[in-house]
Amino acid sequence: MSQIIEFIGNHTLLFVAFVATLGMLVYTEYMRISSANTALSPFEATQKMNAGEAIIIDVRDDAEYKSGHLLNARNFPVGKFDERMHELEKFKDKEVLVYCDSGMRATRALAKLKKNGFTSLFSLNGGLAAWEKANLPTVTR
């Protein structure tokens, strides 16, 4: 125990960086676990899309959306999400699939949707990167 205290005393900056990194990891995992959404694999998302069960929301910027997105996806950039939330109110009763490039922006958008009363929320596990890695098509129109 005294060696740990001595190490912390000799390497305070290193210890603070370790604690900060550990805190961020714990917070990220807590937010992921406590969110009400279910992460779908690209193939599970495809099944929902083919069944016509889910509204698909792309939370990337306009330029990213235009460079390629999922078929029938609606673009609601996460930066403008609060001011455009009224446009999504009509979909509260439906399943909502949210995605971005990797999943970080989608997590923020899902938290906002949950806060506004949406109950059936899904995210694309791995985001568009996982979708493209699975060799699934995107649309550029």
Side-chain angles (χ1 to χ4, degrees):
M1 183 67 169
S2 65
Q3 289 177 336
I4 293 173
I5 294 170
E6 182 182 344
F7 178 83
I8 293 169
N10 292 336
H11 305 285
T12 307
L13 187 58
L14 182 63
F15 181 73
V16 169
F18 168 73
V19 170
T21 304
L22 183 63
M24 288 187 285
L25 284 171
V26 168
Y27 175 76
T28 303
E29 284 302 303
Y30 171 76
M31 292 303 291
R32 185 183 63 80
I33 291 169
S34 67
S35 64
N37 72 76
T38 303
L40 300 177
S41 72
F43 296 107
E44 291 170 327
T46 302
Q47 291 174 334
K48 285 226 179 269
M49 291 168 63
N50 288 343
E53 297 174 0
I55 303 301
I56 303 147
I57 299 176
D58 185 327
V59 295
R60 300 175 303 149
D61 296 330
D62 294 331
E64 292 173 301
Y65 177 80
K66 290 176 183 172
S67 69
H69 57 273
L70 304 187
L71 182 65
N72 298 325
R74 301 160 196 257
N75 186 229
F76 288 88
V78 75
K80 300 175 184 173
F81 216 71
D82 290 330
E83 62 194 54
R84 295 186 61 194
M85 184 62 74
H86 66 279
E87 297 175 44
L88 295 172
E89 293 292 324
K90 59 187 170 190
F91 302 121
K92 273 190 177 180
D93 301 341
K94 299 192 182 264
E95 293 180 340
V96 178
L97 171 65
V98 180
Y99 75 94
C100 63
D101 280 328
S102 63
M104 294 305 292
R105 289 181 278 185
T107 302
R108 287 194 320 227
L110 286 165
K112 290 178 182 184
L113 288 169
K114 181 181 177 187
K115 190 178 196 180
N116 281 286
F118 287 78
T119 55
S120 188
L121 299 171
F122 299 93
S123 64
L124 181 59
N125 192 16
L128 191 62
W131 183 269
E132 290 172 340
K133 187 175 180 181
N135 292 321
L136 293 168
T138 58
V139 184
T140 55
R141 57 175 170 88

